[in-house]
Amino acid sequence: MTHLLEVQDLVTKFYTEDGIVHAVNGVSYTLDEGESLGIVGESGSGKSVGVLSVMGLVPSPPGKIENGQALLNGRDLLTLSGDELQNIRGREVAMIFQDPMTSLNPVLTIGRQLTESIKIHLGMDQETADARAAEMLQLVGLPDAADRLNDYPHQFSGGQRQRIMIAMGLSCNPSVLIADEPTTALDVTIQAQIVELVKNLQQKLGMALIWITHDLALVAGMVDRVAVMYAGFIVEYAPVGSIYEQPMHPYTLGLLHAMPQVSAEKKQRLASIEGMPPDMRNEPVHCPFAPRCPYAIEKCWQENPSLIATGPNRFSACWRWEDIKNEKTFGGASA
């Protein structure tokens, strides 16, 4: 089966004065037309660096893609020149970044920034591009869209700026939209609006979606599959429903039990994952989660497990996945 996007064994490192940072360690996943994938993990887990590598946006130096493929409709993005990638970014794959205030140029009007890629990728003249830009702003729910093309980023609220970034990403009809924690800087009410907006637009336009977040609860109702990342590795990869119903990696189990839950039966104490994420300058020779894992055994310290099939379309990188899938608590914490 040919996938729209197929990332295979992606390895990205950063060569710094303090040592080599092993940011992404052999990541693989696929994305089909119209499908949505959530990439979840703590800060520093490699989830953003992985997609930036695919987009050709990792600064070099210090970053370097050491291995892997990123096949978009059969073309390996990692082998393309800068000019070739420039033609693909925005047109075939678009990205929404975390903070719209730093992503938007503060001294250029919204219309100027929206129409730039439209004119480059779709070949429209200024008048037609302006009409397209206003249409996209209206699509993402910005009132008085045509009248606001001459406004600057500081004249919009945080939620409006994020809507503008979404409009910019969708303006050239990309087949893949990557959203890199786009709701992090927004309050909870606006977060919900942006999530609902992206979900509705994906269904309406039929594009594929990669949603990157540290919040496992956020992707529950908006993606088809989830890749859980830790220390630059994908440690669990499964359909979203099965991740919540029966996690098969202790890190996923810990994330789920750390989520606030409303319970009418009794008060619940949130479980915590003790310890700190690993120093990414140390190349892992054992399971990277072992120092924080209450289920670790001797084998976990001797060998880093690879992703293995644990069920239909399910994969886990854990020696004890069969025991973990029956766990109702994390490390003995009250559920």
Side-chain angles (χ1 to χ4, degrees):
M1 178 181 177
T2 301
H3 302 285
L4 175 60
L5 177 66
E6 185 172 3
V7 177
Q8 299 176 349
D9 200 23
L10 179 64
V11 176
T12 303
K13 299 178 183 179
F14 289 88
Y15 292 83
T16 71
E17 293 181 356
D18 296 326
I20 301 173
V21 178
H22 303 269
V24 179
N25 301 304
V27 163
S28 300
Y29 58 84
T30 62
L31 188 69
D32 295 327
E33 290 185 11
E35 188 183 25
S36 52
L37 171 69
I39 301 179
V40 180
E42 294 174 84
S43 296
S45 63
K47 55 190 187 297
S48 294
V49 174
V51 295
L52 289 173
S53 300
V54 170
M55 294 283 286
L57 294 175
V58 171
S60 178
K64 184 178 180 182
I65 299 173
E66 298 277 4
N67 189 54
Q69 290 183 312
L71 303 173
L72 178 67
N73 288 319
R75 298 176 66 192
D76 188 358
L77 301 180
L78 304 186
T79 64
L80 301 183
S81 67
D83 289 340
E84 288 173 320
L85 279 173
Q86 191 67 29
N87 290 331
I88 288 175
R89 286 195 293 258
R91 181 66 185 93
E92 297 182 48
V93 183
M95 193 162 181
I96 308 168
F97 296 94
Q98 283 189 29
D99 187 354
M101 199 59 211
T102 57
S103 301
L104 292 169
N105 191 322
V107 300
L108 297 180
T109 65
I110 293 304
R112 169 76 180 277
Q113 297 182 65
L114 273 166
T115 57
E116 181 179 15
S117 62
I118 293 173
K119 290 190 291 184
I120 291 172
H121 293 302
L122 301 184
M124 294 181 177
D125 58 29
Q126 188 62 55
E127 183 178 353
T128 311
D130 284 341
R132 173 68 174 173
E135 177 190 350
M136 297 310 299
L137 290 180
Q138 188 173 1
L139 180 67
V140 298
L142 207 66
D144 305 318
D147 296 332
R148 304 216 62 182
L149 290 178
N150 291 323
D151 289 347
Y152 291 86
H154 73 271
Q155 295 175 271
F156 297 86
S157 68
Q160 288 175 327
R161 288 195 292 266
Q162 197 56 278
R163 288 172 185 267
I164 292 166
M165 289 298 299
I166 295 170
M168 194 176 296
L170 298 178
S171 61
C172 297
N173 297 321
S175 53
V176 180
L177 180 67
I178 300 172
D180 186 7
E181 302 206 52
T183 62
T184 298
L186 306 175
D187 65 51
V188 175
T189 303
I190 304 301
Q191 279 186 19
Q193 292 175 6
I194 296 298
V195 167
E196 192 65 23
L197 172 65
V198 173
K199 185 166 65 172
N200 290 338
L201 288 173
Q202 187 213 359
Q203 294 172 352
K204 180 178 181 179
L205 303 176
M207 62 187 174
L209 173 69
I210 296 177
W211 188 284
I212 300 168
T213 181
H214 62 274
D215 186 354
L216 194 55
L218 191 66
V219 298
M222 69 176 303
V223 302
D224 302 310
R225 288 181 295 131
V226 174
V228 180
M229 287 195 68
Y230 186 80
F233 295 90
I234 291 179
V235 296
E236 187 162 7
Y237 187 49
V240 63
S242 59
I243 282 278
Y244 288 88
E245 293 167 8
Q246 194 175 54
M248 295 186 184
H249 192 281
Y251 179 60
T252 311
L253 183 67
L255 289 179
L256 288 170
H257 280 273
M259 288 167 40
Q261 299 180 18
V262 177
S263 174
E265 298 178 1
K266 61 179 180 178
K267 294 181 179 179
Q268 296 180 337
R269 182 180 295 276
L270 295 180
S272 62
I273 301 176
E274 300 294 336
M276 298 291 291
D279 187 338
M280 301 293 279
R281 293 171 298 180
N282 300 324
E283 188 170 7
V285 294
H286 54 69
C287 173
F289 191 60
R292 306 174 69 186
C293 182
Y295 308 99
I297 56 177
E298 185 177 351
K299 188 174 183 180
C300 303
W301 293 96
Q302 296 173 344
E303 187 179 350
N304 188 8
S306 301
L307 280 174
I308 60 171
T310 58
N313 301 313
R314 295 211 60 176
F315 301 88
S316 175
C318 180
W319 298 119
R320 297 191 61 192
W321 66 267
E322 290 184 282
D323 298 322
I324 299 300
K325 74 176 184 179
N326 297 316
E327 284 288 318
K328 302 301 181 185
T329 64
F330 177 71
S334 177

